[in-house]
Amino acid sequence: MSEIALTQAPAHARHGSNIGQPLTRRDGVLKVTGAARYAADNHPPGMLHAVLAISRIARGRVAFLDVAAAGAHPGVVAVMTPANAPKLAVDPEVKTHPFVFRIDVLQNDRVRYAHQPIAVVIAETLEAATEGAALLAPRYETEPAQTGLDGDDGFVPPVLGAGQPAVLRHGDVAAGLAAAARRIEATYATPAQYHNAMEPHAIVAAWDGGRLLIDTPSQGLVLARARIAELFGLEPGHVLIRSPFLGGGFGSKGLLTGPQVLGIMAARLVGRPVKLVLRREQMFGPVGHRAPTRQTLRLGTDADGRLTALDHHTRTATSRFDDFIEPCGGVSHTLYAAAAIATTHEAVRRDTGTPNFMRAPGEASGSAALESAIDEMADACGMDPLAFRLHNYAEVEPVSGKPFSSKALRACYAEGAARFGWARRPRAPRQMRDAGGRLVGWGVGTATFPALMFQAEARAVLRRDGTAIMESGAHDMGQGAWTALAQIAADALGLEIGQVEFRAGASDLPDAGIAGGSAHTATAGIAIHGAGADAIARLAALAVGDERSPLFGAGNAGVVARGGRLHRSDDAARSESYADILARAGLAEIQGQGRSAADPAAQTRYAMHAHGAVFAEVTVDPALGQMRVTRLLGAFAAGRLINPRLVRSQYYGGMIWGVSFALHERAVMDPRTGRPMNPNFAAYHVPVNADIPAIDAILVEEHDPHVNALGIKGVGEIGITGTAAAIANAIWHATGVRPRRFPVMPHEVVALMA
Amino acid sequence: MNSFEYVRPATIAEAVAAGAAPGAAFLAGGTNLLDLLKGDLMRPTRLVDVTRLAELGRIERLPGGGVRIGALVRNADLAHDQPFASDFPAVAEALLSGASAQVRNAATVGGNLLQRTRCVWFYDVASACNRRAPGTGCDARGGEGRGDAVLGWSEACIATHPSDFCVPLVALDAVVEIAGPAGRREVPLDLFHRLPGDAPERDSVLAPGELVVAVRLPPEAAAFAAHARYLKLRERTSFAFAVVSAAAALRMEAGGIVAARIALGGVAAKPWRARAAEDVLAGARPDGTVFRRAAEAALADARPSGPDATRIELARRIVARALALAAAGTPARVPALPASPFAPIPGAAAHV
Amino acid sequence: MSLSISLTVNGAARAVTLDDPRVTLLDLLRERLDLTGTKKGCDRGQCGACTVLLDGRRINACLTLALACDDADVVTIEGLADGDVLHPVQAAFLAHDALQCGFCTPGQIMSAVGLVAEGQAGDDPERVREGMSGNLCRCGAYDGITAAVLDAQRRIAEQGKARAA
């Protein structure tokens, strides 16, 4: 059971108590006082420390490990290698579920990517385990490794990342391009990126006979529990995972990773609780990444600037041993009313860890390319890039012809442009300078992300003291589930939020699905809403059937729950408290259950996406190439917003990821060895505070009656989409040169301008 | 990290004696050493903690206007020492452009001089690196090439020295005071760091047991205070090492340049003094043309050690810009974004 | 030499005997003194999550050897609030939603307390941004962090004035 006592927000920071109110974070006090307990903060009695040893080659086998030297280091308790690693109940190479990825957990001596775990050293102290791992001094039989996208290999994958088709054709692109009055063709490159949540993957594992207690950050508790149970031959109910707080996830903590399994194995090997925390460099290998891409866009327009064809081809990479293909083409399916659209993907196999979901998988990289190409096409047409986008606005989803469940993108463009001052933008590049003579440019990009929905369950308990419990094993990785879902729970139960004890973050609670795809608030929220409604309905049935109740005879539909009382809808003065109803019925509590799932009928009828417009001002030093995003504004429409304060933070976070995509982050792989050469925060740059001088977001109103019962679309990922291209487009507008390789770096801008 | 003996000497003599043993390393702020230990890039068997040598923690004004900075003075304390920052504003600006506030609060003057290269091949224990492991080769050759030296490199090593602080120091003729088993000696900072040659494992001229005790700036260095800047190209706005950097200091009279001091960072295994460029400027009127000529003179001997051809031109441009900024006058206070191209640009320097 | 040190942690004198000279201040706090509020994000001084006050100055605890902290005064995130009353920086972080996942937050807050004490930034947001750039936030809460630091600094100054009056 989760044991999190959420401290109430201080009174001065409270602004309301239900959906739509900008409450401060309910877990905020725990987080600002250091009391929030993350996985690695646990320290059960008798705990040992485990440290991974990782491969320094990308392909081959481990020929020798100096286990004796490591074992002789004072404090070292055990060295786990393929020779003594506990055997698993199922072969981890077997994909027992579409969302099971192959992991490297010391079942053999093969090395298939750099930084793969090759041993685990377990010791009384972290210092001893760390040195023990260094003393292993592995020797390898090295085979040539290949990274990057060059080469004449390549295959068309059967499916993309989450199951999308690799090839989609709508209309005749060749004919559309042939008939076009103007055409552009450009190739954009995006690098490998690593999630790098601030919290490294960590696990504290403790066996108790055939039971297993685990503290580890998880974006998908029940999925992880099932996988652990399967690997170790346990009943799922005998595995308890606690994950009350994730120090960021961004997709990398969605599926169980190899190092987490190794922590459990280590605990079994030594028969004591074990803590295993990844070092930062170990985050560059076994826990996923965003694959590099090379995307070629071919666009054509007629003489009026209307798109006749949009061809979006992606070349990307997956690992040698598993498939995750970055689905870049999706954005091209929905954004522009091109007469013909084709999206194709090809992949190569490389000696890297398997890529996986990373904040806006597909849409982030895909929109960086598409929205750059749209800008190039607008320029080729001699049109303002915003006007060009409006000119080709998709009134229905182009590839399917379906109407949108809602689409307030025009309002996003309009409100964003007005606040940004877009009307003052000169169309030609290199026209604006700041007081210091630096070049200034303005760019726009369209943001889009699908409104997804998974399956979840929730349980509500109304208690005789007038309070309630709401349970759903939801995950708070910073997006604010502890707060937003509690707001939904309070509304559903007709209670003040302080009267609802919300339980989440543990695997023994009802399955809240996976926190991904920007779908968690909708998925868990609707289950919670349903559970609350169910409990209230049961309570109402007690009251309306009891002639001693003032609600007698009202009928189920004839009551509303508010302030801990049921009121007759036709006469609000006639009411009764939950406590009185339960007391009279002699019940200590009453329970309700809720479930959520996407509505297939609505999905068949409508295209469901959130939208937005991102406006960027970039200042460029013309001689040195140093760049700064001096203004960034996003206007987003994403249906109903549960907590605008948290939503704004999600938008900002996504947009800052866009800044990072545009200007900062990239893994540098040594093509000679396949090793990442910048596996640390000194060299793998993400934005610092000084990189974000002015950021703003407009929360555009949007009412969506179709997307789901609460009208929620999700806000966690859309911020990154459109932003990278808006910045690249602003660099073009500032300098007159078009960057087509992300991130855009000073020396490259200087070279382009030469 | 291997285990080590930890000793905390009470006097410089004790420190030198303890530090002369094979495998010993001095520990001061620890901001570089701990990083190196954790990466198994250095595995000393004894750490000699010199932080309790209080006499090394003072900033002393010298008769005639110079300053003597104890080796243990923290970077932040020096940068925020008002008299020091007034006399040597480019040094303060360089200090404040380096690392983060947390690192600057811990890092010392002596440690800054002795910090090791940030070359990624040096940092990757599995790579061949003559500087880290003599005789293994240099995997930086044939690598991506960003951050490689363009001056003073050898076939054995193309690493650069990462310090910001040392760049204006070397421009201003700083002198390093050293205590060692054989007594005290002084070395001009320009001769303190070694070019790699065929022994890149030796970063500096320090012998085993030798301890940096102070850095001195001569009285003449303060004469440049009115026109002194440090400028640093970075791949993000803050908390990043220099792609290239430059310190420029001018002594100006009646609108003309009487004397110039120029040095570059991020281009060589040492902070690179550009005397030929200084000669171009002596007696010249400050304008973009002469700054560009000076910049070309500064990089006259440069040759790329890797595939990135833009580094040399970027270095020229940053020299020219730093000179223009210096000519426009030292700002009253170190800018909010120290050494950044995004710091306010005085009008006269805008179009260089 | 003995591996015993004495130091003050959050106002309380602590005598610590170390079995290993390699222990950093960060690992001393987290693994031996049960003060896990201070976080390890990179362990190399590159992220700021481990920021604490050492003798009143913000530093990276991961780059500080515990043995070198003999006689030192250490303040961590756990030592900031006065009972249930949050420190003004903590309160401002809540009010400005200057956090998301919360993992970098203790380091951000300790860094902000250090920045205010240094007194170099004044009310210039650009100086605050620069001064807070040693603390990475992968969630991207920078705008709220800058606002929170400025807000807290004002409140602290007002409190100081009120006390002086």
Coordinates of all heavy atoms in Angstrom, one line a residue, chain A residues 602-658:
Chain A
A602 N -16.5 6.8 -31.2 CA -16.1 8.2 -31.4 C -14.8 8.2 -32.2 O -14.6 9.1 -33.0 CB -15.9 8.8 -30.0
Q603 N -13.9 7.2 -31.9 CA -12.6 7.2 -32.6 C -12.8 6.9 -34.1 O -12.0 7.3 -34.9 CB -11.7 6.1 -32.0 CG -11.3 6.6 -30.6 CD -10.1 5.9 -30.1 OE1 -10.0 4.7 -30.2 NE2 -9.1 6.6 -29.6
T604 N -13.8 6.1 -34.4 CA -14.1 5.8 -35.8 C -14.6 7.1 -36.5 O -14.3 7.4 -37.7 CB -15.2 4.7 -35.9 OG1 -14.7 3.6 -35.2 CG2 -15.4 4.3 -37.4
R605 N -15.4 7.9 -35.8 CA -16.0 9.0 -36.4 C -15.1 10.3 -36.5 O -15.2 11.0 -37.4 CB -17.3 9.3 -35.6 CG -18.4 10.0 -36.4 CD -19.7 10.0 -35.5 NE -20.1 8.7 -35.0 CZ -20.5 8.5 -33.8 NH1 -20.6 9.5 -32.9 NH2 -20.9 7.3 -33.4
Y606 N -14.3 10.4 -35.5 CA -13.5 11.7 -35.4 C -12.0 11.5 -35.3 O -11.5 10.5 -34.8 CB -13.9 12.4 -34.1 CG -15.4 12.8 -34.0 CD1 -16.3 12.1 -33.3 CD2 -15.8 13.9 -34.8 CE1 -17.6 12.4 -33.2 CE2 -17.2 14.3 -34.7 CZ -18.0 13.5 -34.0 OH -19.4 13.9 -33.9
A607 N -11.3 12.5 -35.9 CA -9.9 12.6 -35.6 C -9.7 13.4 -34.4 O -10.3 14.5 -34.2 CB -9.2 13.3 -36.8
M608 N -8.8 12.9 -33.5 CA -8.7 13.6 -32.2 C -7.2 14.0 -32.0 O -6.3 13.2 -31.8 CB -9.1 12.6 -31.1 CG -10.6 12.1 -31.3 SD -10.9 10.8 -30.1 CE -12.7 10.6 -30.4
H609 N -7.0 15.3 -31.9 CA -5.7 15.8 -31.7 C -5.7 17.1 -31.0 O -6.7 17.9 -31.1 CB -5.0 16.1 -33.1 CG -5.0 15.0 -34.0 ND1 -3.9 14.1 -34.0 CD2 -5.8 14.5 -35.0 CE1 -4.2 13.1 -34.9 NE2 -5.3 13.4 -35.5
A610 N -4.7 17.4 -30.2 CA -4.5 18.7 -29.6 C -3.7 19.5 -30.6 O -3.0 18.9 -31.5 CB -3.8 18.6 -28.3
H611 N -3.8 20.8 -30.6 CA -3.1 21.7 -31.5 C -2.5 22.9 -30.8 O -2.9 23.2 -29.7 CB -4.0 22.2 -32.6 CG -4.4 21.1 -33.6 ND1 -5.6 20.4 -33.4 CD2 -3.9 20.6 -34.7 CE1 -5.7 19.5 -34.4 NE2 -4.7 19.6 -35.2
G612 N -1.6 23.5 -31.5 CA -1.0 24.7 -31.0 C -0.1 25.5 -32.0 O 0.1 24.9 -33.1
A613 N 0.2 26.7 -31.6 CA 1.1 27.5 -32.5 C 2.2 28.0 -31.6 O 1.9 28.6 -30.5 CB 0.3 28.6 -33.2
V614 N 3.5 27.8 -32.0 CA 4.6 28.3 -31.3 C 5.3 29.4 -32.0 O 5.6 29.2 -33.2 CB 5.6 27.2 -30.9 CG1 6.7 27.7 -30.1 CG2 4.8 26.0 -30.2
F615 N 5.5 30.5 -31.4 CA 6.2 31.7 -32.0 C 7.6 31.9 -31.2 O 7.6 31.9 -30.0 CB 5.4 32.9 -31.9 CG 4.1 32.8 -32.6 CD1 3.0 32.2 -32.0 CD2 4.0 33.3 -33.9 CE1 1.8 32.1 -32.7 CE2 2.7 33.2 -34.6 CZ 1.6 32.6 -34.0
A616 N 8.6 32.0 -32.0 CA 9.9 32.1 -31.4 C 10.7 33.3 -31.9 O 10.6 33.6 -33.1 CB 10.8 30.9 -31.7
E617 N 11.3 34.0 -31.1 CA 12.3 35.0 -31.5 C 13.7 34.5 -31.1 O 13.9 34.2 -30.0 CB 12.0 36.3 -30.7 CG 13.1 37.4 -31.0 CD 12.8 38.7 -30.2 OE1 11.9 39.4 -30.6 OE2 13.5 38.9 -29.2
V618 N 14.6 34.5 -32.1 CA 15.9 34.1 -31.8 C 16.9 35.2 -32.2 O 16.7 35.9 -33.2 CB 16.3 32.8 -32.7 CG1 17.7 32.4 -32.4 CG2 15.4 31.7 -32.3
T619 N 17.8 35.4 -31.3 CA 18.8 36.4 -31.5 C 20.1 35.7 -31.8 O 20.5 34.8 -31.1 CB 19.0 37.4 -30.3 OG1 17.7 38.0 -30.1 CG2 20.0 38.5 -30.5
V620 N 20.8 36.2 -32.9 CA 22.0 35.5 -33.3 C 23.2 36.5 -33.4 O 23.0 37.5 -34.0 CB 21.8 34.9 -34.7 CG1 23.0 34.1 -35.2 CG2 20.5 34.0 -34.8
D621 N 24.3 36.1 -32.8 CA 25.5 36.9 -33.0 C 26.0 36.6 -34.4 O 26.4 35.5 -34.7 CB 26.5 36.5 -31.9 CG 27.7 37.4 -32.0 OD1 28.4 37.5 -33.1 OD2 28.0 38.1 -31.0
P622 N 26.0 37.6 -35.3 CA 26.3 37.3 -36.7 C 27.7 36.8 -36.9 O 28.0 36.1 -37.9 CB 26.1 38.6 -37.4 CG 26.2 39.7 -36.3 CD 25.8 39.0 -35.0
A623 N 28.7 37.2 -36.1 CA 30.1 36.8 -36.3 C 30.4 35.5 -35.6 O 31.1 34.6 -36.2 CB 31.0 37.9 -35.8
L624 N 29.8 35.3 -34.4 CA 30.2 34.1 -33.6 C 29.2 33.0 -33.7 O 29.5 31.9 -33.3 CB 30.4 34.6 -32.2 CG 31.5 35.7 -32.0 CD1 31.5 36.2 -30.5 CD2 32.8 35.2 -32.4
G625 N 28.0 33.3 -34.1 CA 27.0 32.2 -34.3 C 26.3 31.8 -33.0 O 25.5 30.9 -33.0
Q626 N 26.6 32.5 -31.9 CA 25.9 32.1 -30.7 C 24.5 32.6 -30.8 O 24.2 33.7 -31.3 CB 26.6 32.7 -29.4 CG 26.1 32.0 -28.2 CD 27.0 32.1 -27.0 OE1 28.2 32.2 -27.1 NE2 26.4 32.1 -25.8
M627 N 23.6 31.7 -30.3 CA 22.2 32.0 -30.4 C 21.5 31.9 -29.1 O 21.9 31.2 -28.2 CB 21.5 30.9 -31.4 CG 22.0 31.0 -32.8 SD 21.7 29.5 -33.7 CE 23.1 28.5 -33.1
R628 N 20.4 32.7 -29.0 CA 19.6 32.6 -27.8 C 18.1 32.8 -28.2 O 17.8 33.7 -29.0 CB 20.0 33.7 -26.9 CG 19.5 33.6 -25.4 CD 20.1 34.7 -24.5 NE 19.8 34.4 -23.1 CZ 19.6 35.4 -22.2 NH1 19.7 36.7 -22.6 NH2 19.4 35.1 -21.0
V629 N 17.2 32.0 -27.6 CA 15.8 32.2 -27.9 C 15.3 33.3 -26.9 O 15.1 33.1 -25.8 CB 15.0 30.9 -27.6 CG1 13.6 31.1 -27.9 CG2 15.6 29.8 -28.5
T630 N 15.2 34.5 -27.5 CA 15.0 35.6 -26.6 C 13.5 35.8 -26.3 O 13.2 36.5 -25.3 CB 15.6 36.9 -27.2 OG1 15.4 36.9 -28.6 CG2 17.0 37.1 -26.9
R631 N 12.6 35.2 -27.1 CA 11.2 35.1 -26.7 C 10.6 33.8 -27.2 O 11.0 33.4 -28.3 CB 10.4 36.3 -27.4 CG 10.5 37.6 -26.6 CD 9.3 38.5 -27.0 NE 9.4 38.9 -28.4 CZ 8.2 39.1 -29.1 NH1 7.1 39.0 -28.6 NH2 8.3 39.4 -30.4
L632 N 9.8 33.2 -26.4 CA 9.1 32.0 -26.9 C 7.7 32.0 -26.4 O 7.5 32.2 -25.2 CB 9.9 30.8 -26.3 CG 9.5 29.4 -26.9 CD1 9.7 29.3 -28.4 CD2 10.3 28.3 -26.2
L633 N 6.8 31.9 -27.3 CA 5.3 31.9 -26.9 C 4.6 30.8 -27.6 O 4.7 30.6 -28.8 CB 4.7 33.3 -27.4 CG 3.2 33.4 -27.4 CD1 2.7 33.4 -26.0 CD2 2.7 34.6 -28.1
G634 N 3.9 30.0 -26.8 CA 3.0 29.0 -27.4 C 1.6 29.3 -27.1 O 1.2 29.8 -26.0
A635 N 0.7 29.0 -28.0 CA -0.7 29.0 -27.8 C -1.3 27.6 -28.1 O -1.1 27.2 -29.2 CB -1.3 30.1 -28.7
F636 N -1.8 27.0 -27.1 CA -2.2 25.6 -27.3 C -3.7 25.4 -26.9 O -4.2 26.0 -26.0 CB -1.4 24.7 -26.4 CG 0.1 24.8 -26.6 CD1 0.9 25.6 -25.8 CD2 0.7 24.1 -27.6 CE1 2.2 25.7 -26.0 CE2 2.0 24.2 -27.8 CZ 2.8 25.0 -27.0
A637 N -4.3 24.5 -27.7 CA -5.7 24.2 -27.4 C -5.8 22.7 -27.2 O -5.4 21.9 -28.1 CB -6.6 24.5 -28.6
A638 N -6.1 22.3 -26.0 CA -6.1 20.8 -25.7 C -7.3 20.4 -24.9 O -7.2 19.7 -23.9 CB -4.8 20.6 -24.9
G639 N -8.4 20.9 -25.3 CA -9.7 20.5 -24.6 C -9.8 21.1 -23.2 O -9.2 22.2 -23.0
R640 N -10.4 20.3 -22.3 CA -10.6 20.8 -21.0 C -9.3 20.7 -20.2 O -8.6 19.7 -20.2 CB -11.7 20.0 -20.3 CG -11.9 20.4 -18.8 CD -12.9 19.5 -18.1 NE -14.2 19.9 -18.6 CZ -15.3 19.3 -18.0 NH1 -15.2 18.4 -17.1 NH2 -16.5 19.6 -18.4
L641 N -9.0 21.7 -19.4 CA -7.8 21.8 -18.6 C -8.2 21.6 -17.1 O -9.0 22.3 -16.6 CB -7.1 23.1 -18.8 CG -6.8 23.5 -20.2 CD1 -6.1 24.8 -20.3 CD2 -6.0 22.4 -20.9
I642 N -7.7 20.6 -16.5 CA -8.1 20.3 -15.1 C -7.5 21.3 -14.2 O -8.1 21.7 -13.2 CB -7.6 18.8 -14.7 CG1 -8.2 17.8 -15.7 CG2 -8.0 18.5 -13.3 CD1 -9.7 17.8 -15.7
N643 N -6.2 21.6 -14.4 CA -5.5 22.6 -13.5 C -4.6 23.5 -14.4 O -3.5 23.1 -14.8 CB -4.7 21.8 -12.5 CG -4.0 22.8 -11.5 OD1 -3.6 23.9 -11.8 ND2 -4.0 22.3 -10.2
P644 N -5.1 24.7 -14.7 CA -4.3 25.5 -15.6 C -2.9 25.9 -15.1 O -2.0 26.1 -16.0 CB -5.1 26.8 -15.7 CG -6.2 26.7 -14.7 CD -6.3 25.3 -14.3
R645 N -2.7 25.9 -13.8 CA -1.3 26.2 -13.3 C -0.4 25.0 -13.7 O 0.7 25.3 -14.2 CB -1.4 26.3 -11.8 CG 0.0 26.5 -11.1 CD -0.1 26.3 -9.6 NE -1.0 27.4 -9.1 CZ -0.6 28.5 -8.5 NH1 0.7 28.8 -8.4 NH2 -1.5 29.4 -8.1
L646 N -0.8 23.8 -13.6 CA 0.0 22.7 -13.9 C 0.1 22.6 -15.4 O 1.2 22.1 -16.0 CB -0.6 21.4 -13.3 CG -0.8 21.4 -11.8 CD1 -1.3 20.0 -11.4 CD2 0.5 21.7 -11.1
V647 N -0.9 22.9 -16.1 CA -0.9 22.8 -17.6 C 0.1 23.8 -18.2 O 0.9 23.4 -19.0 CB -2.3 23.1 -18.2 CG1 -2.3 23.3 -19.7 CG2 -3.3 22.0 -17.8
R648 N 0.1 25.0 -17.6 CA 1.1 26.0 -18.1 C 2.5 25.4 -17.9 O 3.4 25.5 -18.8 CB 0.9 27.3 -17.3 CG 1.9 28.4 -17.6 CD 1.6 29.7 -16.9 NE 0.3 30.2 -17.3 CZ 0.1 31.0 -18.3 NH1 1.2 31.4 -19.0 NH2 -1.1 31.4 -18.7
S649 N 2.7 24.8 -16.8 CA 4.1 24.3 -16.5 C 4.4 23.1 -17.5 O 5.6 23.0 -17.9 CB 4.2 23.7 -15.1 OG 4.2 24.8 -14.2
Q650 N 3.4 22.3 -17.9 CA 3.7 21.3 -18.8 C 4.0 21.9 -20.2 O 4.9 21.4 -20.9 CB 2.4 20.4 -19.0 CG 2.2 19.4 -17.9 CD 3.4 18.5 -17.8 OE1 3.6 17.6 -18.6 NE2 4.2 18.6 -16.7
Y651 N 3.3 22.9 -20.6 CA 3.6 23.6 -21.9 C 5.0 24.2 -21.8 O 5.8 24.0 -22.8 CB 2.6 24.7 -22.2 CG 1.2 24.2 -22.5 CD1 0.1 25.0 -22.3 CD2 0.9 23.0 -23.1 CE1 -1.2 24.6 -22.6 CE2 -0.3 22.6 -23.4 CZ -1.4 23.4 -23.2 OH -2.7 23.0 -23.5
Y652 N 5.3 24.9 -20.8 CA 6.7 25.4 -20.7 C 7.7 24.4 -20.8 O 8.7 24.5 -21.5 CB 6.9 26.2 -19.3 CG 6.2 27.5 -19.2 CD1 6.2 28.3 -18.0 CD2 5.5 28.1 -20.3 CE1 5.6 29.5 -17.9 CE2 4.9 29.3 -20.2 CZ 4.9 30.0 -19.0 OH 4.3 31.3 -18.9
G653 N 7.5 23.3 -20.0 CA 8.5 22.2 -20.1 C 8.7 21.6 -21.5 O 9.8 21.4 -21.9
G654 N 7.5 21.4 -22.1 CA 7.6 20.9 -23.5 C 8.4 21.9 -24.4 O 9.2 21.5 -25.2
M655 N 8.0 23.1 -24.3 CA 8.7 24.2 -25.1 C 10.2 24.2 -24.9 O 11.0 24.4 -25.8 CB 8.0 25.5 -24.9 CG 6.5 25.6 -25.5 SD 5.6 26.9 -24.7 CE 6.3 28.3 -25.5
I656 N 10.5 24.1 -23.6 CA 12.0 24.1 -23.3 C 12.7 22.9 -23.9 O 13.8 22.9 -24.3 CB 12.2 24.3 -21.8 CG1 11.7 25.7 -21.4 CG2 13.6 24.0 -21.4 CD1 11.6 26.0 -19.9
W657 N 11.9 21.8 -23.9 CA 12.5 20.6 -24.6 C 12.6 21.0 -26.1 O 13.6 20.5 -26.8 CB 11.6 19.4 -24.5 CG 11.9 18.6 -23.3 CD1 11.9 19.0 -22.0 CD2 12.2 17.2 -23.2 NE1 12.3 18.0 -21.1 CE2 12.5 16.9 -21.9 CE3 12.4 16.2 -24.2 CZ2 12.8 15.6 -21.5 CZ3 12.8 14.9 -23.8 CH2 13.0 14.6 -22.4
G658 N 11.8 21.8 -26.6 CA 11.9 22.2 -28.0 C 13.1 23.1 -28.2 O 13.8 23.0 -29.2

